[in-house]
Amino acid sequence: MNGAEYIIRKLISNGTETVFGYPGGTVLSVYDSLYRHRNEIRHIRASHEQGAAHAADGYARVSGRAGVCIATSGPGATNLVTGIANAYMDSVPVVFITGNVEHTLIGTDSFQEVDICGMTLGVTKHSWAVRDRETLIRAMNSAFRVAFEGRRGPVLIDVAKDILETDEKAYEEDIIRSADGSPLAEHVLPRSAGFREETRAAASLIGSSVRPLIIMGGGARRSGAENAVSELAKRLGAPVCATLMGTGAPVGVPENDWLGLPGLMAHPRLKRALELCDVIVAVGARLSNRVVDPAMFQEDTKKLVQIDTDRAEINKIVKADAFIEGDASEALKAVLELLPAERRKSWLPRGDGNGDFSGNGNANGGGSGNCDGNGDGNGDGKAVFPSDKPFAAALEAVKEAAGEHLCVCTDVGLHQLYTARLFPFGKNDIFVTSGGLGTMGSGLGAAIGAAAAAPDRTVLLITGDGGFMMDMNELEVVARERLPVIVIIMRNDSLGMVREMQKKQCGRRYSQTSLSRRVSFTKIAGAFGITGKKARGVGELAAAVREAREKGIPAVIEYRLQYEGC
């Protein structure tokens, strides 16, 4: 058995059913083994290695299993780097396997030789530069465990070509030794000795709060802590907001207490809640600059309780007054055991909009406003920006037509934030987006991975014309694999998010953010053999989505948005 055959057998023994990748010279032996095992493991070839990386990422997010991605040396490996970083920033377990030149040539600037382990050192949990059989065995026995344990994330195995192609008896012996029928995909760390003490301190601070606010992050979603978050919010009378990675199926809190997405486009009521709260409970959330302003903690009028499985995230940006290092679901259950069972009334007044995007306005609970000033809070958790109405109407029409059990993917841009804020997610829907890295061009690959992982779901990709033009080559994969991905392009002929920044920060000097109006996305779809349609209103948009869903076919639907700034 050679190294390539050993890798594929170990993938199969770890429960891997689908891998993504692109063949090349140094991984010929790997693809030869994939051919021999084609009835046991499915390979989906992307149009570009970056697309393969995003597909493996999307597959992992939706399936709950590790994604696997394979690429050759040199540019094949370097094309993965953005996808690796995207998975790392969003804590997604993906096993990346790359080929390299023969180990005797490494360090000689050989053809297509790169130090991919060195290049990705800061965006992988661990990497193995495999130059002998012992390292390959150690890597394949550790990769899935490392990807899952603690804070999840990507790992990289870079294997020299001669190691892949050389037969070794040690590989067969390891296969026999580890063939106990139990996948190695997940390993749960035991609770630390300080878990109980940490829990008591956190519960004490949470219980003594008068105006608590809960921030739910991706860690809460991944651990299945939604019910625990809901129960904590009800006992405390606390409003809840969710980061991009924490967005998805609704959490069972009263509508008045659901405040949506923090950051630049936060609802006025959330901004007001952040000003007034005395304790913030961050559950599985990286407190990046898109979530909170560290300056709000400087006057010691607010306390922070942080719950995270990654010790490195605790105290990284804001010093926590109490913290629990551990799984979000387990930690919240332990906290709830120490809190009174009775439920408090919500402390956040209904209709406390307190302004608009710039912080000016009246809190009358019934008006509307705009991004530039002088607006009123509407008090219902919905948004008050001028572009909300066309986006909201479109997204509501899409949801009605697409039905339940959705996987909603986005690319990156204005459409992403509006989808996160306004899409009427159902309790069984999944949201997939690039949060930490904000990777334009990741959407279609992620949707491909999602469709491969969950053929029983309707997979929607909501994207912009800018993002779509970065990855539309992956439509070939959608057509070839017959994946019923419904692509909805929210077209505004601009790089909308950057254009909004230029509007506010550059005095409306729009430099290189206007896109061609002559591009026909429906004709591009047709060239790939995919149905393409233009929707001129929400009715036509809903009809196009419904038709694609009912027929179970891929489709590209172009929907032109009309709002200020287009």
Side-chain angles (χ1 to χ4, degrees):
M1 181 188 301
N2 64 17
E5 177 72 7
Y6 172 69
I7 287 172
I8 300 307
R9 289 200 189 185
K10 292 297 283 189
L11 292 178
I12 293 170
S13 71
N14 275 277
T16 303
E17 298 175 351
T18 303
V19 300
F20 304 85
Y22 203 94
T26 63
V27 290
L28 283 179
S29 56
V30 176
Y31 276 81
D32 193 37
S33 183
L34 280 167
Y35 181 83
R36 288 195 295 272
H37 292 277
R38 61 190 180 279
N39 293 327
E40 301 168 77
I41 190 167
R42 179 188 188 187
H43 179 279
I44 296 179
R45 188 192 70 241
S47 292
H48 188 282
E49 288 91 352
Q50 183 173 326
H54 292 314
D57 178 313
Y59 181 92
R61 296 186 198 224
V62 173
S63 70
R65 301 190 296 273
V68 178
C69 183
I70 301 170
T72 193
S73 60
T78 58
N79 282 341
L80 296 178
V81 173
T82 296
I84 295 172
N86 191 71
Y88 182 80
M89 293 293 285
D90 288 348
S91 306
V92 182
V94 183
V95 176
F96 290 93
I97 301 171
T98 55
N100 212 324
V101 299
E102 289 88 345
H103 82 276
T104 56
L105 296 176
I106 289 174
T108 65
D109 293 329
S110 179
F111 175 68
Q112 291 194 336
E113 176 200 350
V114 297
D115 178 13
I116 191 63
C117 289
M119 290 181 182
T120 58
L121 185 63
V123 290
T124 51
K125 287 190 70 180
H126 193 77
S127 59
W128 292 266
V130 177
R131 309 297 179 249
D132 55 62
R133 67 184 183 188
E134 290 78 12
T135 306
L136 180 56
I137 292 171
R138 187 165 62 252
M140 293 307 299
N141 281 323
S142 303
F144 286 83
R145 173 179 57 80
V146 172
F148 271 94
E149 71 180 6
R151 176 177 171 177
R152 299 175 181 183
V155 297
L156 172 69
I157 306 171
D158 182 57
V159 192
K161 183 174 183 288
D162 54 316
I163 303 301
L164 290 170
E165 297 175 353
T166 302
D167 290 333
E168 295 282 359
K169 187 177 180 180
Y171 298 142
E172 297 180 22
E173 293 172 347
D174 184 70
I175 290 289
I176 294 170
R177 186 167 56 248
S178 59
D180 59 0
S182 59
L184 305 173
E186 187 163 4
H187 176 74
V188 180
L189 293 177
R191 287 182 176 181
S192 65
F195 186 86
R196 188 174 299 277
E197 183 179 339
E198 294 168 359
T199 302
R200 283 197 294 266
S204 175
L205 183 53
I206 291 170
S208 64
S209 62
V210 177
R211 298 182 302 278
L213 169 69
I214 299 172
I215 300 177
M216 186 173 74
R221 290 284 183 189
R222 280 187 293 274
S223 70
E226 293 93 334
N227 290 339
V229 169
S230 172
E231 179 60 25
L232 180 65
K234 290 173 181 176
R235 288 202 201 175
L236 300 176
V240 179
C241 64
T243 67
L244 265 177
M245 302 312 301
T247 298
V251 175
V253 297
E255 184 177 358
N256 185 63
D257 288 335
W258 178 250
L259 301 181
L261 192 70
L264 178 67
M265 299 179 72
H267 186 274
R269 296 187 68 243
L270 174 51
K271 294 186 178 184
R272 184 62 170 162
L274 284 167
E275 291 174 7
L276 295 176
C277 68
D278 60 350
V279 172
I280 291 177
V281 184
V283 185
R286 292 189 309 112
L287 297 175
S288 72
N289 59 331
R290 295 190 76 180
V291 177
V292 297
D293 180 3
M296 72 172 62
F297 295 94
Q298 290 177 357
E299 297 181 2
D300 202 34
T301 57
K302 294 189 196 321
K303 304 293 183 182
L304 173 65
V305 176
Q306 201 169 356
I307 299 172
D308 206 290
T309 191
D310 184 1
R311 184 64 180 83
E313 287 298 329
I314 296 170
N315 295 328
K316 185 167 80 173
I317 297 174
V318 179
K319 187 179 185 305
D321 297 279
F323 68 85
I324 303 174
E325 178 187 355
D327 175 79
S329 183
E330 285 192 20
L332 285 181
K333 289 175 183 177
V335 168
L336 287 167
E337 290 176 359
L338 300 175
L339 294 178
E342 59 268 18
R343 297 181 176 183
R344 304 182 198 169
K345 292 183 179 179
S346 173
W347 65 264
L348 186 64
R350 182 174 295 276
D352 188 10
N354 200 48
D356 56 17
F357 194 79
S358 62
N360 302 314
N362 303 312
N364 65 2
S368 60
N370 59 48
C371 290
D372 296 316
N374 305 316
D376 302 317
N378 67 5
D380 61 359
K382 301 297 182 183
V384 292
F385 307 111
S387 49
D388 277 358
K389 287 187 177 180
F391 266 104
L395 295 175
E396 287 170 4
V398 168
K399 170 61 177 175
E400 182 180 356
E404 301 299 323
H405 213 53
L406 305 180
C407 182
V408 181
C409 306
T410 77
D411 210 274
V412 171
L414 278 181
H415 71 274
Q416 173 195 34
L417 298 183
Y418 283 118
T419 301
R421 290 173 54 240
L422 301 173
F423 194 89
F425 291 100
K427 65 179 181 179
N428 294 316
D429 296 341
I430 297 174
F431 182 53
V432 175
T433 196
S434 172
L437 197 63
T439 308
M440 281 186 72
S442 64
L444 188 51
I448 288 168
D456 59 325
R457 289 183 178 271
T458 298
V459 177
L460 305 175
L461 170 61
I462 299 172
T463 185
D465 35 356
F468 182 68
M469 284 193 285
M470 284 191 171
D471 62 7
M472 61 186 180
N473 53 304
E474 300 300 335
L475 283 178
E476 189 276 332
V477 184
V478 173
R480 171 172 27 95
E481 298 290 334
R482 299 180 181 179
L483 300 172
V485 176
I486 303 173
V487 181
I488 301 165
I489 304 171
M490 299 290 189
R491 184 166 188 171
N492 58 7
D493 298 314
S494 72
L495 301 178
M497 182 179 289
V498 182
R499 192 175 178 86
E500 283 295 315
M501 293 177 184
Q502 290 174 338
K503 174 182 175 182
K504 295 175 176 60
Q505 300 174 29
C506 302
R508 298 178 184 262
R509 294 184 293 278
Y510 299 124
S511 177
Q512 300 301 314
T513 51
S514 296
L515 303 177
S516 172
R517 293 175 177 266
R518 295 193 295 270
V519 175
S520 173
F521 295 122
T522 56
K523 290 182 179 179
I524 289 170
F528 286 102
I530 294 174
T531 298
K533 291 192 174 183
K534 288 186 178 181
R536 295 171 177 80
V538 293
E540 290 186 8
L541 175 61
V545 171
R546 187 176 294 107
E547 179 182 5
R549 177 181 62 82
E550 290 175 350
K551 291 182 177 180
I553 59 172
V556 173
I557 305 166
E558 180 183 320
Y559 180 73
R560 185 173 292 279
L561 286 163
Q562 296 295 335
Y563 66 94
E564 181 186 351
C566 285

